[in-house]
């Protein structure tokens, strides 16, 4: 037995190395299936697994829950991708979305954003009530600009950097306005939103949120699905680095 111990040990070690190599190749092939396209990621959570599947909160149709979870269907793809980036980088802080976004690389985020952007948004036939005065005119004496300048007269968004906000649940919109106002949300370029809502009253925020919930939903403006930072990073990243993403990478 003593004479055989070294060869046996070497054989076992060699076998383990070969087994690990084989598993590594299988893992790359199997995990690729989890991120095959945007719909697969949305339905299965990508490499984060089913517990991070987008549909579990945002619904199979991307319309949210009508209360605290926002609609994603029909929103601008570039805006959606930026939010995923910001969640992963914790520029927009949310524990649930951080877990979902941190497993996705740039290509995954681009794919799932494009898929949600292509989903049909609900149509509204009943006319909305007139928007609050502060939406169209702002309140200059308090430093509040008109919301319509960036988000459109009906909340349809004005360009890729100014997203559509019409048709979102009032509770969700009010929560986001409060987060902007208190600094809990801070992922806006040059603090535009933080400055814009600083002078809003609680009454004005509630009125804006309630009106937007009933505002007509228009198709988003055309835009590139990727933000400049993401597209540049994806182009510069070697092909070999686009495999399995793990937290902390």
């Amino acid at each position: 037995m003593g004479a055989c111990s070294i060869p046996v040990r070497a054989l076992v070690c060699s076998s383990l190395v070969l087994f690990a190599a084989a598993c590594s190749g299988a893992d790359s092939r199997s995990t690729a299936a989890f991120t095959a396209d945007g719909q697969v990621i949305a339905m299965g959570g990508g490499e984060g697994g089913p517990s991070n599947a987008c549909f579990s909160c945002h619904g199979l149709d991307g319309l949210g829950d009508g209360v605290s979870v926002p609609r994603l269907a029909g929103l601008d793809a570039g805006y959606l991708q930026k939010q995923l980036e910001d969640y992963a980088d914790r520029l927009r802080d949310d524990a649930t979305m951080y877990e979902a976004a941190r497993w996705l690389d740039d290509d995954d985020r681009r794919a799932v954003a494009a898929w949600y952007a292509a989903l049909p948004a609900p149509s509204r036939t009943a006319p909305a009530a007139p928007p609050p005065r502060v939406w169209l005119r702002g309140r200059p004496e308090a430093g509040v600009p008109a919301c319509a300048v960036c988000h459109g007269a009906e909340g349809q968004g004005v360009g890729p950097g100014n997203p559509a906000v019409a048709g979102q649940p009032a509770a969700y919109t009010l929560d986001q306005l409060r987060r902007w106002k208190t600094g809990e949300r801070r992922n806006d370029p040059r603090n535009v939103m933080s400055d814009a809502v600083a002078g809003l009253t609680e009454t004005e925020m509630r009125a804006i949120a309630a009106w937007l919930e009933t505002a007509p939903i228009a198709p988003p403006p055309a835009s590139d699905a990727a933000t400049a930072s993401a597209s540049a990073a994806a182009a510069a990243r070697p092909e070999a680095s686009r495999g399995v993403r793990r937290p902390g990478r």
Side-chain angles (χ1 to χ4, degrees), residues 64-156:
D65 66 355
V67 183
S68 60
V69 178
R71 168 180 64 87
L72 304 182
L75 294 185
D76 177 70
Y79 172 77
L80 291 175
Q81 185 178 340
K82 182 183 185 300
Q83 300 315 298
L84 287 172
E85 294 168 8
D86 291 349
Y87 280 125
D89 293 336
R90 286 191 158 164
L91 293 177
R92 183 173 178 181
D93 193 30
D94 182 275
T96 299
M97 284 303 304
Y98 169 71
E99 286 298 324
R102 68 173 179 153
W103 290 93
L104 308 179
D105 64 17
D106 293 331
D107 295 333
D108 298 337
R109 294 170 192 159
R110 184 181 297 106
V112 75
W115 187 74
Y116 274 114
L119 288 179
S123 58
R124 293 235 171 87
T125 55
R133 179 185 177 89
V134 70
W135 181 268
L136 294 177
R137 301 187 182 183
R139 197 153 47 81
E141 69 276 12
V144 178
C147 310
V149 171
C150 293
H151 295 290
E154 296 183 329
Q156 73 272 27

Side-chain angles (χ1 to χ4, degrees), residues 5-83:
S5 59
I6 294 177
V8 169
R9 187 179 298 115
L11 180 61
V12 170
C13 291
S14 299
S15 299
L16 289 174
V17 170
L18 292 173
F19 178 76
C23 287
S24 177
D27 182 65
S28 297
R29 290 191 296 271
S30 62
T31 57
F34 300 147
T35 57
D37 56 42
Q39 183 176 11
V40 169
I41 296 169
M43 297 299 116
E47 291 167 8
S51 63
N52 293 308
C54 310
F55 89 91
S56 61
C57 291
H58 294 282
L60 292 171
D61 49 10
L63 298 181
D65 66 355
V67 183
S68 60
V69 178
R71 168 180 64 87
L72 304 182
L75 294 185
D76 177 70
Y79 172 77
L80 291 175
Q81 185 178 340
K82 182 183 185 300
Q83 300 315 298

Side-chain angles (χ1 to χ4, degrees), residues 143-147 149-151 161-163 180 185-199:
V144 178
C147 310
V149 171
C150 293
H151 295 290
N162 304 304
W180 287 120
R185 183 172 174 181
R186 50 187 176 80
N187 68 320
D188 52 331
R190 300 182 301 280
N191 298 318
V192 171
M193 276 299 299
S194 300
D195 293 342
V197 304

